[in-house]
Amino acid sequence: DIEMTQSPSSLSAYVGDRVTITCRASQTIGSYLNWYQQLPGKAPKLLIYAASTLQSGVPLRFSGGGSGTDFTLTISSLQPEDFATYFCQQSYSIPPYTFGQGTKLEIK
Amino acid sequence: QVQLQESGPRLVKPSETLSLTCAVSGDSVSSDHWWSWVRQVPGQGLEWIGEISHSGSTNYNPSLKSRVTISTDSSIIQFSLHLTSVTAADTAVYFCARERTRSGTTFFDYWGQGTLVTVSS
């Protein structure tokens, strides 16, 4: 299985801050990397697919980058509704699809 | 608008079988998509369980393969998960989700709200 490792596991930031979350794959996965946001008690919501393509309806302050083994999710200016847990997911080598362990973004 | 809704027993006894159904509206299980089950132990990460295609082909997580069956019924508006010989480690929120493939990558674009299943005697 391809192991996905996110860093940091948790992050505190202020509204208006720019934050970056990193996801590293245990082997190269090209651009087969997707990002999700999960609010407490809710299902994950797709933000970005293919490493950098914004899902329809997702605010432009979200962006993704990277390829190979190292990927980033950046929020350019944090809004109150962005405080959530974020997960990356690879689809390069399946089964199984695998997810990162999550990054919890908390308000400072 | 595609909607998915999980249903089934919320409490299962150890060694018994966990059975859940995902009802699909706004789309059809027979459409050109794969459909998945994903679970999440409360406070932890996401674990993909398995998937089924519109034609009934399946793939499972090797870690669960010996205990999992995913199927669709003849109405093609729902698909089901069966997980046998459950233990407390199978206590989790179970989500169903629709898959989509674009730009070569496969992602989950629609999710059910999730249902917490507790394994306990």
Side-chain angles (χ1 to χ4, degrees), chain B residues 28-96:
Chain B
S28 167
V29 178
S30 65
S31 68
D32 192 16
H33 287 287
W34 287 70
W35 304 83
S36 268
W37 287 96
V38 177
R39 71 180 183 179
Q40 183 175 35
V41 174
Q44 297 189 25
L46 298 160
E47 181 181 31
W48 178 76
I49 299 170
E51 63 184 354
I52 189 165
S53 75
H54 60 92
S55 62
S57 298
T58 55
N59 291 304
Y60 300 123
N61 191 323
S63 68
L64 298 168
K65 188 174 183 177
S66 63
R67 299 194 291 129
V68 173
T69 303
I70 297 175
S71 60
T72 63
D73 73 353
S74 58
S75 70
I76 64 174
I77 60 170
Q78 61 183 31
F79 61 105
S80 300
L81 168 70
H82 300 281
L83 181 65
T84 62
S85 305
V86 297
T87 70
D90 295 309
T91 294
V93 176
Y94 286 77
F95 297 99
C96 56

Side-chain angles (χ1 to χ4, degrees), chain A residues 4-26:
Chain A
M4 308 300 293
T5 303
Q6 291 181 230
S7 60
S9 295
S10 63
L11 175 62
S12 295
Y14 293 102
V15 172
D17 280 354
R18 177 185 179 92
V19 299
T20 297
I21 298 167
T22 297
C23 178
R24 174 166 288 176
S26 60

Side-chain angles (χ1 to χ4, degrees), chain B residues 8-13 16 116-121:
Chain B
R10 303 300 198 264
L11 180 64
V12 182
K13 290 182 168 55
E16 296 190 345
L116 174 62
V117 180
T118 301
V119 178
S120 176
S121 55

